[in-house]
Amino acid sequence: MKRIQHLTAALLATAALSVAATAAAQGFPNRPIKIIVNSPAGGGNDFIARTIAQKMEASMKQPVIVDNKPGAGGIIASDFVAKSPADGYTILFNGPLIVQTAALYSKLPYDPLKDFTPLTDVIRTPLWLAVNTEKLPVKDMKEFVAYAKANPGKITYGSVGSGSSHHLYGYRVGDATGTELLHVPYKGGAPAMVALVSGEVNAAFADYVSLKPHVASGKVRLLGVTGTQRPALTPDVPTFSELGFKGFESYGWGALFLPAKTPADVVQRLHAEVAAAIKAPDVAAKFTDVGFELGGTPPAQFATIVQNDYTRWTTLIKQVGVKLD
């Protein structure tokens, strides 16, 4: 009899929790929401997050606050969100770095797969390989490879940091062509772009937001682009797949994550709000004008993308042998 009573009490408690969670979801949101960004104010991630936050705020009738928590390769921001209540009021904005750090560091204070619920990608973007036109007088990838073979160890390429997509794509180019390219890491996209334009480095992988004014001025030339198809903004630049390179098909993304175990109703509500914000004509124009593709992928589908990128990047990082601790 006591066993039955205990079982009944446990079932009632579970039911009560379920009812409470459903009630909370139905009343969501009833207070401000925070989007935690893993980089400083004024950068690309901040621009994307604030653009979306403004639309969500108008639609959800609650303040949506962008809170920048840069540092430690995004770990500070990710850890903060991973340890926040799973109620939908704390959201992380991050990129592939959230899964790349798993291979870059021996220990993390969270699990990038188990401790988050992927919500959706806000934007997707390929990366372009650009060269300084004065320092590297090549017009296409064929000439780039020929120059690298004729001048071993003399081509330098900048990145936003060791283990980043920008670094790893450069490694792939060197590995695929049997050439020696020297990696020069910088603390972020802005200093890496300054280095490219000034000629401190010969080449760099970068997004079009950063490259656009320098392409227009003729200071840099685009040789190839990652992804599966040529972006509309650079129709004359071939994809690496077209050029015969393998492993350059993935896209970078700026995405939103929730703490694990966030109620499904809350996840779906937030996804609907974010997807609507992305599709708003003014927001879509802001993003596409700077070379971004629009996201809004459903949570389950985006979770698969995150898992695949986790496998892709951790495998390559281990192959390269990068460790940051």
Side-chain angles (χ1 to χ4, degrees):
M1 179 64 70
K2 287 184 178 180
R3 191 171 183 178
I4 294 174
Q5 290 175 338
H6 284 311
L7 179 59
T8 301
L11 291 172
L12 289 172
T14 301
L17 286 173
S18 177
V19 170
T22 301
Q26 289 174 345
F28 178 86
N30 56 24
R31 64 178 190 271
I33 294 171
K34 280 189 176 183
I35 298 179
I36 309 300
V37 180
N38 68 338
S39 57
N45 284 357
D46 184 69
F47 158 70
I48 298 165
R50 290 183 189 276
T51 301
I52 289 297
Q54 188 176 20
K55 279 293 178 186
M56 292 173 64
E57 183 171 285
S59 173
M60 302 181 82
K61 310 301 182 186
Q62 288 290 342
V64 180
I65 302 161
V66 173
D67 186 2
N68 301 87
K69 293 186 181 296
I75 294 174
I76 293 172
S78 296
D79 188 43
F80 180 86
V81 175
K83 292 179 171 56
S84 294
D87 53 14
Y89 289 96
T90 308
I91 307 172
L92 173 67
F93 186 93
N94 208 328
L97 191 62
I98 192 172
V99 292
Q100 291 167 340
T101 49
L104 292 171
Y105 295 89
S106 300
K107 283 188 177 182
L108 288 175
Y110 54 84
D111 186 304
L113 296 180
K114 294 180 181 179
D115 292 335
F116 296 95
T117 295
L119 180 60
T120 190
D121 50 351
V122 178
I123 60 91
R124 292 186 296 271
T125 182
L127 292 177
W128 284 258
L129 174 60
V131 296
N132 182 294
T133 52
E134 290 186 5
K135 297 293 183 179
L136 202 58
V138 300
K139 295 180 180 179
D140 53 35
M141 278 302 297
K142 184 177 180 180
E143 291 186 5
F144 179 91
V145 173
Y147 186 94
K149 288 183 176 180
N151 300 273
K154 291 187 178 180
I155 290 183
T156 56
Y157 72 97
S159 82
V160 302
S162 294
S164 65
S165 304
H166 309 66
H167 169 203
L168 298 173
Y169 279 133
Y171 170 84
R172 274 195 180 278
V173 169
D175 186 57
T177 59
T179 57
E180 184 182 355
L181 308 180
L182 299 182
H183 174 231
V184 182
Y186 292 89
K187 294 181 178 180
M193 189 53 49
V194 169
L196 173 64
V197 174
S198 69
E200 186 174 307
V201 294
N202 306 127
F205 274 92
D207 57 58
Y208 197 68
V209 181
S210 305
L211 291 166
K212 186 177 180 179
H214 309 300
V215 172
S217 70
K219 292 182 179 178
V220 303
R221 177 177 291 115
L222 306 179
L223 303 185
V225 62
T226 67
T228 57
Q229 59 186 12
R230 298 189 184 194
L233 289 175
T234 58
D236 296 330
V237 180
T239 66
F240 280 92
S241 295
E242 289 179 74
L243 295 169
F245 291 82
K246 295 181 179 180
F248 290 80
E249 298 81 16
S250 65
Y251 288 81
W253 33 259
L256 298 172
F257 296 79
L258 296 161
K261 300 182 181 179
T262 299
D265 288 352
V266 172
V267 174
Q268 293 304 320
R269 171 69 192 281
L270 284 170
H271 176 261
E273 293 288 346
V274 174
I278 294 168
K279 292 176 183 176
D282 56 334
V283 172
K286 282 183 180 180
F287 289 160
T288 56
D289 283 351
V290 292
F292 292 142
E293 297 182 14
L294 304 180
T297 306
Q301 186 179 340
F302 181 57
T304 300
I305 293 172
V306 173
Q307 176 66 63
N308 290 341
D309 277 0
Y310 171 85
T311 302
R312 175 184 294 109
W313 292 121
T314 53
T315 299
L316 183 54
I317 288 168
K318 289 175 181 177
Q319 179 183 343
V320 177
V322 182
K323 275 291 181 183
L324 298 183
D325 58 3

